[in-house]
Amino acid sequence: MEGEAAAAILQTLVQNLIDLCKKEISQIRDLEKDAAKLTKSLKTIQKFLNDAETRDITSEAVKDWLKNLEDVAFDADNVLDELNYHILSDQIKPAEPEDEKIPSCFSRLSCFSRLSCCKNLSRSRNVALKIKEINENLESINKEATDLGLNVKFAKEPTLVIASLETDSFSDDPVFIGRDDAVSEIVEMLTNSITTDERKVSIISIDGMGGLGKTTLTRKVFNHLKDETQFGSHIWVHVSPNFDALTLFKKILKELTDQVEGENKQDILSKLQQALKDKTYLLVLDDVWNEDRSKWEDFMNSLLGVSSVKGNAIVVTTRSMKVATIVNPIHTHELEGLSEEECWSIIKVKTFGEGNVPSEFAAIGKKIARKCQGLPLAANVVGGVLRIKSEEKWRSVEEKWLSADEGGDNITNILRLSFDNLSLPSLKKCFAYCATFPKGSEIMKQELIEMWMAEGFLQADDMESVGEKFINVLLHNSLLQVSRRYANGNVNKCGMHDLVHDLACSVSSSSNSSRVRYKTLEEDESSRIPKEMAKSLRTLLLTSEGDISDINFSDFESLHVLSLLDSEVKELPSSIQKLIHLRDFDISKTRIEVLPDWIGEFFHLQTLRVDSLWLKKLPSTIKYLINLRHLYINWEVELPMGIGRLTCLQTLTHFPVGDENGCKIEELGSLNNLSGDLKIRNLERVHDKEEAGKANLFKKSKILNLGLKWNGSREGETNDEDVLESLQPHSDLRELEIVRFNGKRFPSWTLKMAVRDAPHGSWVVLNKLMSLELWDCDECEEIPMLGHLPNLKSLKLYGLENVKCINSSFYGMVNKDTRIVFPALARLELKDMPKLAEWAEIEISDGSEVKLFPRLQDLQIRECYQLKSVPSHVSSCLGSLWIEKIGVECLPANWLLSNNETLNWLRIEGCPNLREISDRWGEEESEGRSFTITSLPKFPHLSSCPNLREISDRWGEEESEGRSFTITSLPKFPRLTELSIGGVPNLSMEIVDAMWRLEVDGRKYIDP
């Protein structure tokens, strides 16, 4: 496979060179002939590569030919890119005074017409000589290809196949089947160990061969326990074959604090002790290879010393039974293979989803499932290969796989088949690039796409969209796996199974010559890279901590991607200025406070990540980065004048409005490609609605999350209503946040949650809006109309100090056709609304049945002191309820446990008027159905409710004329582990065996 893979991914580089020739060199007079010759040679090589890609290459001579071609092609890429850099430099830099002005050597009028006055004569001659040399080398390579028997072959234009059956954002990846009992068993064992194991730390090991799904199973257990909040801290660490205690402690500390400072073990352990203070923890050590007992004991002795709290747990995953013995677990879970039927079930889900499988496919699929030999990784990968393929392709896969090395490495065969199935050479190159990251890495999806862009793998106008498609294809084929998601379900980080990583390394090394192109320098490696290696590197990820001032970055003359992931770096070495090919620069983890002016000379730069808390200001030269597409900054950073010149910008997370020309909100007007998140602050500096309208927000359809923020402490009349009226967003908006708006009334588009369609003049509802937050809008007297929004999932209303009533308009237009109000809302928070006295019921004029909040899971009402009434017509079963400092006397029954099996968190505090919580708390007979609450792991925090006399006749008892409060039915809640009660006098209760924390009026009766 090595030769074919090398040929496939070289196609990307050659195509990029052809495109560069057409765009740049051919337009420069005196180089047209050389450009034409170069293009012709490259196209001939491309046809030889088409032939090589389809062959089973075993000839060492052909492999050497491919490696020589790679070296020449990369050299050519550097030369052409340097030429393009100098052309950009002459276009971008401001003209010098006429008497000092020096004409460009690379003018598009003539390359050599004014040599006598060109200060870069030597540079122009050098470039011309290099292009001639490259042409000669390519001619030699073409001749050698013919001598080796390679043929000129025209290839059919490949296409990227995206599965028509899209996975939803919350589906499991990889498909998880056949392990539910194992998850339950391990979760129960860990939960029980908290109270039964006398040791500080209970250890469970999960062992089995690669591809059995140890990591996927452990992640299910980890997430389950995290959702249950059984532990104070949840830590996941991937352990490389090099088991080093200090490295592990640094990884653990980074998981807990996101920062690692200090070099020696004592400092790290001291910080770890602070981070774990009074907390229990669940620690996963994934993929442990260490079989040295002394190293493990050294690690454990130090870990036990940083925490005195009992009830901790460690889960170790390993392929080695010896490792499982060394860690001294309370239980070893030996993971077994899946059944053939379970493997077939995974393949069915990957290929047909929940749909029916035609019989002709089922017969073939079951044979393929048998070949998976119980490995879920194999089933997931082959399922990705077979997705939306013909019956003929299924048979081909069956025959190719079943005939390949009977008795050999099955999982390797199917992984290679999955790689071969990738349709585009550029996609194969993107996959191979992932070998740059160490095993076990979590890779930010967006960062990976931007690195692919920087390396030239995504040749398209909309490179980001192509990158998204590539990510989806690799996920569908299980060559990447989702490791973390955002709250909205979108993919945040990806990972690679170790066996898939081995494949990527194999492909990457086979396509490289003796030169290394992509490298991560980890902490245990030397920071000194040989000059010969540095010269050819195109990606360098520096994750090691230490002094980088002694690194001569000018040796890294080919770098396209540079990440300084070292929190100790405080200043950029000046040698970085020489990196003219740089396209992706990440210093977000450093302590750099000032960027040098020469940062503006990176004319090729596409991505700049400087979103650290240390940097406060960007240099004025940023405006020269005309190819910049993604600028990541923190909210405090001051932008320079002229940011509107960066018309390629897609990411600008924060925009502070300034007073001076070049810093005003109109700078946003020309940035029509902005997408994702945009937070605009200092809106009080916008003078009127006309100025606000120059931002053209309504035209920016790719901005999905919009924040509009004014500063506080303003007196007198404001123009907030006019300004907000002109900041109308596009109708595709997903999230909206408005902070410190001081108008008495929201403008029309905000009240209606609908925007004016300019061409037609009609109102378009913000149907895609998923989240709305209104913060500290002190003067506002009315809440917008929201109940009609079909996708609104989260609503937060904080600090609306002048709102006295949530009236019926809040629910939207309710008529005979309305059946559901707030159909998707899952989270509702009201806080700090001191004048709010009434929350009106929904008005239903014709008596028809309307569901209100049918999906509401989390409800919080806090610091609404005058609130006396709340709606009782709620159709959902809450999972979480937090009531604090409100004036109600009684909470509606259906807010709590009437027909509710889902409530798992309740907090009631500071409600002096509250007399009754519910009349049906524990058991309810409803239409002959017996209902008992047994699933409340963390029961209520009750505090400062002096008038509370009754929870119900089945949960508490009222005695002595209501002055004593007795809890007699706690045994109905066998999973009750934590209870906090305050401000409830004359309390008596029974204790549940499982309870491990009890606090009454601030006194701890049971303390872990």
Side-chain angles (χ1 to χ4, degrees):
M1 185 184 79
E2 292 182 2
E4 309 93 279
I9 59 183
L10 268 175
Q11 288 274 19
T12 304
L13 179 56
V14 173
Q15 184 59 53
N16 289 349
L17 290 174
I18 292 172
D19 293 340
L20 268 175
C21 285
K22 291 178 179 178
K23 290 178 181 178
E24 303 299 341
I25 306 181
S26 61
Q27 299 182 42
I28 300 175
R29 196 179 303 168
D30 299 330
L31 290 182
E32 299 99 323
K33 291 181 180 179
D34 291 302
K37 187 175 182 181
L38 184 55
T39 301
K40 183 178 179 181
S41 295
L42 289 168
K43 286 187 174 180
T44 302
I45 285 174
Q46 199 171 42
K47 291 162 189 165
F48 283 131
L49 287 172
N50 291 337
D51 184 36
E53 190 179 350
T54 60
R55 295 189 180 199
D56 184 9
I57 298 175
T58 57
S59 168
E60 291 301 319
V62 175
K63 292 179 181 179
D64 289 341
W65 176 84
L66 289 168
K67 290 178 179 179
N68 289 336
L69 171 58
E70 179 181 317
D71 289 341
V72 173
F74 273 118
D75 288 343
D77 184 64
N78 282 342
V79 171
L80 300 183
D81 201 51
E82 181 181 353
L83 174 61
N84 188 29
Y85 173 86
H86 292 304
I87 291 172
L88 286 173
S89 175
D90 292 335
Q91 290 175 345
I92 294 168
K93 284 186 176 180
E96 301 177 38
E98 193 63 34
D99 58 340
E100 300 177 14
K101 186 174 179 181
I102 301 175
S104 167
C105 293
F106 294 101
S107 165
R108 292 185 178 273
L109 296 176
S110 173
C111 185
F112 304 111
S113 60
R114 289 174 286 186
L115 299 180
S116 60
C117 60
C118 181
K119 67 178 181 181
N120 292 316
L121 172 60
S122 60
R123 185 182 74 200
S124 64
R125 283 178 174 169
N126 188 38
V127 169
L129 288 173
K130 283 184 178 180
I131 292 175
K132 291 181 187 297
E133 182 182 349
I134 290 167
N135 267 327
E136 291 171 2
N137 289 335
L138 290 177
E139 284 181 358
S140 175
I141 286 173
N142 279 334
K143 183 179 182 302
E144 188 179 354
T146 304
D147 295 341
L148 290 170
L150 292 173
N151 299 315
V152 172
K153 182 174 181 179
F154 291 88
K156 181 181 177 182
E157 185 71 22
T159 57
L160 180 65
V161 178
I162 301 292
S164 57
L165 178 62
E166 292 292 338
T167 58
D168 66 88
S169 60
F170 295 95
S171 61
D172 290 324
D173 184 88
V175 176
F176 190 78
I177 288 175
R179 303 286 197 211
D180 290 334
D181 290 344
V183 172
S184 299
E185 178 186 340
I186 296 170
V187 165
E188 184 176 1
M189 196 167 300
L190 288 169
T191 304
N192 291 339
S193 72
I194 295 174
T195 54
T196 60
D197 193 357
E198 291 299 317
R199 295 178 291 184
K200 286 184 185 178
V201 181
S202 305
I203 302 174
I204 288 179
S205 70
I206 302 173
D207 73 274
M209 65 179 291
L212 269 178
K214 299 183 296 296
T215 300
T216 305
L217 170 66
T218 306
R219 184 167 282 117
K220 288 284 182 182
V221 171
F222 182 83
N223 289 335
H224 182 94
L225 291 169
K226 194 172 184 179
D227 291 341
E228 293 279 322
T229 61
Q230 293 284 2
F231 298 90
S233 298
H234 301 79
I235 311 158
W236 184 289
V237 172
H238 180 271
V239 185
S240 66
N242 180 21
F243 188 95
D244 177 73
L246 180 57
T247 300
L248 287 178
F249 288 131
K250 285 183 177 182
K251 288 182 176 181
I252 293 170
L253 184 59
K254 188 172 183 180
E255 282 287 304
L256 290 168
T257 66
D258 202 33
Q259 289 186 347
V260 178
E261 298 177 13
E263 286 293 321
N264 61 63
K265 188 175 179 179
Q266 185 61 37
D267 288 344
I268 296 297
L269 290 177
S270 177
K271 289 181 172 62
L272 194 57
Q273 187 175 39
Q274 285 295 113
L276 289 174
K277 187 177 182 181
D278 297 331
K279 291 182 182 178
T280 59
Y281 61 83
L282 170 64
L283 169 63
V284 172
L285 298 174
D286 186 35
D287 198 24
V288 177
W289 291 79
N290 170 59
E291 295 184 350
D292 185 335
R293 185 181 296 274
S294 63
K295 286 187 176 181
W296 174 258
E297 289 176 349
D298 174 59
F299 169 75
M300 283 303 301
N301 288 336
S302 297
L303 183 62
L304 291 172
V306 301
S307 176
S308 59
V309 178
K310 291 184 179 180
N312 307 297
I314 296 177
V315 179
V316 172
T317 73
T318 180
R319 300 187 200 180
S320 166
M321 277 296 295
K322 186 175 180 180
V323 171
T325 304
I326 285 174
V327 301
N328 191 25
I330 60 172
H331 172 73
T332 297
H333 189 94
E334 296 182 29
L335 203 57
E336 298 180 350
L338 301 180
S339 67
E340 289 180 15
E341 189 58 37
E342 287 168 335
C343 286
W344 170 229
S345 296
I346 290 174
I347 294 172
K348 284 192 292 185
V349 172
K350 292 286 285 188
T351 52
F352 290 96
E354 299 300 323
N356 295 324
V357 181
S359 57
E360 60 272 20
F361 286 89
I364 307 168
K366 289 178 179 179
K367 293 180 182 178
I368 294 175
R370 189 176 306 125
K371 194 68 174 176
C372 292
Q373 296 182 341
L375 298 178
L377 175 63
N380 273 283
V381 171
V382 77
V385 172
L386 297 174
R387 194 173 188 137
I388 63 168
K389 297 296 193 302
S390 65
E391 181 184 350
E392 180 183 0
K393 180 65 176 178
W394 279 52
R395 292 192 185 280
S396 172
V397 169
E398 176 204 357
E399 293 166 3
K400 183 183 292 188
W401 192 11
L402 294 180
S403 64
D405 299 326
E406 287 290 348
D409 188 349
N410 243 14
I411 188 65
T412 300
N413 292 336
I414 188 56
L415 289 175
R416 286 178 175 174
L417 183 62
S418 184
F419 173 79
D420 292 338
N421 186 63
L422 299 177
S423 57
L424 297 178
S426 53
L427 180 53
K428 292 180 177 179
K429 185 65 176 172
C430 288
F431 168 74
Y433 182 82
C434 295
T436 307
F437 302 93
K439 278 187 177 179
S441 295
E442 285 190 323
I443 311 167
M444 289 283 293
K445 182 192 75 170
Q446 187 60 31
E447 288 184 18
L448 180 58
I449 291 172
E450 288 162 4
M451 289 178 181
W452 287 344
M453 288 166 41
E455 290 293 350
F457 303 155
L458 309 176
Q459 288 300 311
D461 291 335
D462 191 354
M463 294 185 285
E464 291 79 5
S465 293
V466 174
E468 286 278 355
K469 291 177 181 178
F470 280 15
I471 291 284
N472 288 336
V473 171
L474 295 176
L475 288 173
H476 289 326
N477 286 273
S478 293
L479 295 176
L480 285 179
Q481 297 178 350
V482 177
S483 60
R484 300 199 188 193
R485 296 182 184 273
Y486 291 109
N488 61 10
N490 292 334
V491 176
N492 177 10
K493 295 182 179 181
C494 299
M496 260 186 169
H497 191 282
D498 283 356
L499 296 178
V500 178
H501 191 276
D502 291 341
L503 173 67
C505 288
S506 172
V507 171
S508 182
S509 62
S510 72
S511 64
N512 282 342
S513 64
S514 57
R515 304 182 189 179
V516 177
R517 310 286 180 190
Y518 319 107
K519 187 169 182 63
T520 296
L521 206 62
E522 294 190 89
E523 189 166 340
D524 54 354
E525 296 184 70
S526 169
S527 61
R528 302 185 186 278
I529 297 177
K531 187 172 182 179
E532 193 57 35
M533 178 190 291
K535 182 179 179 180
S536 60
L537 274 176
R538 291 168 67 93
T539 289
L540 178 60
L541 312 180
L542 277 170
T543 63
S544 58
E545 293 187 9
D547 187 11
I548 66 167
S549 61
D550 60 341
I551 299 178
N552 184 9
F553 282 96
S554 59
D555 291 342
F556 298 81
E557 58 188 54
S558 301
L559 273 187
H560 283 53
V561 177
L562 176 59
S563 292
L564 304 180
L565 308 176
D566 180 0
S567 60
E568 297 301 314
V569 175
K570 298 180 180 179
E571 185 177 354
L572 287 180
S574 59
S575 58
I576 291 179
Q577 182 180 1
K578 304 295 184 181
L579 304 180
I580 63 173
H581 303 289
L582 204 60
R583 284 164 165 78
D584 189 317
F585 193 24
D586 184 355
I587 54 174
S588 59
K589 302 295 190 295
T590 68
R591 293 190 176 191
I592 293 170
E593 297 182 18
V594 179
L595 286 181
D597 287 341
W598 50 254
I599 206 84
E601 296 178 10
F602 292 150
F603 303 128
H604 284 311
L605 200 65
Q606 298 169 341
T607 301
L608 179 59
R609 289 183 176 269
V610 289
D611 47 333
S612 77
L613 295 177
W614 298 88
L615 188 71
K616 302 301 180 186
K617 186 177 181 180
L618 294 179
S620 61
T621 53
I622 288 290
K623 62 177 175 287
Y624 299 136
L625 304 181
I626 62 170
N627 283 306
L628 195 64
R629 301 166 77 96
H630 303 283
L631 176 58
Y632 296 92
I633 56 176
N634 74 64
W635 69 274
E636 293 182 307
V637 166
E638 182 182 337
L639 291 177
M641 296 171 61
I643 205 74
R645 293 176 57 174
L646 307 182
T647 55
C648 291
L649 266 186
Q650 296 187 20
T651 300
L652 179 63
T653 48
H654 300 278
F655 182 85
V657 178
D659 291 317
E660 300 179 20
N661 289 334
C663 299
K664 296 183 177 181
I665 198 169
E666 63 187 26
E667 292 295 308
L668 293 172
S670 58
L671 305 182
N672 291 322
N673 294 310
L674 288 181
S675 61
D677 297 359
L678 175 62
K679 308 292 185 187
I680 308 175
R681 59 185 177 88
N682 302 339
L683 283 171
E684 71 282 354
R685 296 179 180 176
V686 180
H687 295 106
D688 50 45
K689 64 188 305 181
E690 288 74 22
E691 184 177 327
K694 292 179 180 179
N696 290 334
L697 292 187
F698 65 94
K699 292 183 178 179
K700 298 177 179 13
S701 61
K702 294 182 180 180
I703 292 179
L704 303 180
N705 309 323
L706 179 63
L708 303 174
K709 301 183 179 183
W710 286 258
N711 281 331
S713 304
R714 291 177 290 143
E715 298 179 359
E717 292 293 322
T718 69
N719 62 355
D720 292 13
E721 292 181 19
D722 288 340
V723 169
L724 185 57
E725 180 70 51
S726 293
L727 293 178
Q728 170 183 297
H730 191 275
S731 59
D732 285 343
L733 195 68
R734 302 296 199 279
E735 298 181 12
L736 175 62
E737 179 187 32
I738 300 176
V739 181
R740 291 187 288 276
F741 167 78
N742 268 4
K744 292 185 177 296
R745 181 180 172 86
F746 286 108
S748 300
W749 72 264
T750 317
L751 280 177
K752 297 174 180 286
M753 280 294 135
V755 294
R756 181 81 72 176
D757 182 9
H760 303 95
S762 57
W763 288 98
V764 179
V765 176
L766 296 175
N767 281 334
K768 297 181 180 180
L769 194 70
M770 300 174 67
S771 173
L772 174 63
E773 298 185 12
L774 304 179
W775 291 74
D776 300 327
C777 302
D778 297 344
E779 302 299 321
C780 192
E781 299 174 349
E782 185 177 2
I783 294 175
M785 181 189 306
L786 302 170
H788 61 297
L789 298 177
N791 291 299
L792 186 65
K793 295 181 178 180
S794 176
L795 175 60
K796 297 181 181 180
L797 306 175
Y798 279 26
L800 305 184
E801 296 184 356
N802 237 12
V803 173
K804 299 177 181 178
C805 174
I806 300 177
N807 56 42
S808 58
S809 66
F810 174 64
Y811 303 109
M813 297 296 294
V814 180
N815 52 45
K816 63 179 182 180
D817 298 321
T818 305
R819 290 292 174 263
I820 303 176
V821 178
F822 287 102
L825 196 68
R827 185 181 186 91
L828 174 58
E829 297 181 18
L830 309 179
K831 184 183 177 184
D832 191 17
M833 300 173 66
K835 294 183 181 179
L836 181 65
E838 179 185 1
W839 184 353
E841 298 276 1
I842 188 171
E843 294 181 0
I844 308 171
S845 57
D846 60 356
S848 60
E849 182 179 352
V850 175
K851 290 185 176 181
L852 176 62
F853 305 125
R855 297 189 179 182
L856 190 63
Q857 289 294 307
D858 184 353
L859 176 61
Q860 297 184 24
I861 308 175
R862 300 156 60 194
E863 298 175 33
C864 301
Y865 305 96
Q866 297 187 35
L867 183 60
K868 298 296 192 295
S869 65
V870 293
S872 59
H873 187 76
V874 176
S875 307
S876 65
C877 293
L878 293 173
S880 172
L881 176 62
W882 186 350
I883 302 295
E884 180 180 352
K885 298 178 182 177
I886 67 173
V888 296
E889 295 185 1
C890 177
L891 296 180
N894 65 347
W895 278 29
L896 298 172
L897 293 171
S898 177
N899 290 322
N900 187 354
E901 299 180 7
T902 62
L903 188 70
N904 57 36
W905 197 93
L906 173 64
R907 181 185 182 103
I908 301 174
E909 182 176 5
C911 301
N913 299 326
L914 185 64
R915 297 178 178 275
E916 181 180 352
I917 291 181
S918 170
D919 59 352
R920 294 175 295 180
W921 184 273
E923 297 180 355
E924 181 183 72
E925 297 292 334
S926 177
E927 298 182 0
R929 173 174 167 270
S930 178
F931 170 63
T932 303
I933 296 297
T934 61
S935 58
L936 206 54
K938 279 196 171 182
F939 203 65
H941 172 106
L942 301 175
S943 178
S944 301
C945 304
N947 290 317
L948 181 62
R949 300 179 180 180
E950 182 178 354
I951 293 183
S952 89
D953 57 351
R954 292 179 179 170
W955 197 79
E957 292 181 356
E958 186 179 351
E959 299 176 356
S960 303
E961 299 178 356
R963 287 175 294 178
S964 72
F965 181 70
T966 306
I967 299 176
T968 60
S969 301
L970 282 179
K972 292 179 181 177
F973 305 93
R975 293 179 62 200
L976 177 61
T977 60
E978 184 174 348
L979 178 62
S980 176
I981 298 176
V984 182
N986 303 317
L987 176 71
S988 64
M989 69 176 71
E990 299 177 36
I991 304 299
V992 177
D993 291 340
M995 188 178 294
W996 63 278
R997 184 188 296 274
L998 172 62
E999 183 175 320
V1000 180
D1001 282 327
R1003 296 176 61 189
K1004 295 180 180 179
Y1005 287 85
I1006 303 177
D1007 192 21

